[in-house]
Amino acid sequence: MGKKELVAFVGPMASGKSTIISHLLGVPLESVRLDGSRFIRESNSNEPRPHPQIGHNNMKSCTEMPEPFLEEELNIYLCDTPGLEPVRPELKLLTDVFLQKAQKIRAIVVVITMGCLCENRGAQFKDLIKDICKTFDLQQIRSRLIFMYNTIDA
């Protein structure tokens, strides 16, 4: 087969990008409650398949750089990216360059949460859209742009 296509998952830190990719790759997950909050985690910590690490440590993302994971059945890469936060400009630049240079981007999945939409009148969502417009030619990607609303806020 020729070059594999890539589906890039972008969005704010803690929006669930790594968790969604892990789920799509078939990693067993479970929902747990801790101190009144709900979290998703791997139900088997010995999962042999390559997949993104899920979770955060003191609001520091586990995803430090763009990383593609092969979904073998579909023969496509699902690319996890760091959260696009203004406080992490070096990671945003790295992600932008990676996505601009990646060939055969099949889709860009923008993962958003209620907080992204509602806090500060949607300022985070507006900034995310501005970032996407700066990184890509919107006319070229608009038919491949997918918005995914994640109902579990971290």
Side-chain angles (χ1 to χ4, degrees):
M1 234 180 232
K3 289 186 179 178
K4 293 172 179 51
E5 293 181 325
L6 181 123
V7 175
F9 287 74
V10 300
M13 185 170 65
S15 59
K17 300 176 298 292
S18 300
T19 304
I20 291 166
I21 291 171
S22 291
H23 176 71
L24 293 172
L25 293 170
V27 174
L29 303 174
E30 63 184 0
S31 175
V32 294
R33 286 202 176 274
L34 181 64
D35 297 328
S37 296
R38 185 173 160 201
F39 297 92
I40 303 293
R41 68 178 183 196
E42 292 178 39
S43 59
N44 175 7
S45 61
N46 297 321
E47 176 61 42
R49 291 172 280 202
H51 63 282
Q53 184 178 355
I54 298 172
H56 302 273
N57 181 10
N58 296 325
M59 286 311 293
K60 180 180 181 285
S61 175
C62 291
T63 308
E64 291 297 323
M65 58 188 329
E67 186 172 3
F69 297 90
L70 180 61
E71 203 298 333
E72 293 178 6
E73 189 175 316
L74 297 175
N75 200 36
I76 195 166
Y77 283 104
L78 305 176
C79 184
D80 196 11
T81 62
L84 300 177
E85 308 300 321
V87 295
R88 299 164 41 133
E90 71 287 349
L91 292 180
K92 184 189 171 332
L93 178 62
L94 176 67
T95 300
D96 288 353
V97 170
F98 174 82
L99 293 174
Q100 288 170 349
K101 298 292 182 191
Q103 295 179 4
K104 294 195 170 190
I105 293 181
R106 176 69 169 197
I108 299 166
V109 179
V110 182
V111 182
I112 56 175
T113 63
M114 180 62 80
C116 180
L117 291 174
C118 296
E119 293 172 10
N120 297 323
R121 296 185 176 194
Q124 190 179 39
F125 180 71
K126 291 173 188 173
D127 289 343
L128 188 59
I129 297 302
K130 288 176 189 173
D131 285 344
I132 290 168
C133 291
K134 288 178 191 173
T135 305
F136 301 100
D137 179 351
L138 205 52
Q139 294 299 319
Q140 290 183 354
I141 67 157
R142 68 178 178 190
S143 65
R144 296 178 284 150
L145 199 57
I146 300 166
F147 288 88
M148 178 180 276
Y149 176 72
N150 186 355
T151 59
I152 300 177
D153 284 329

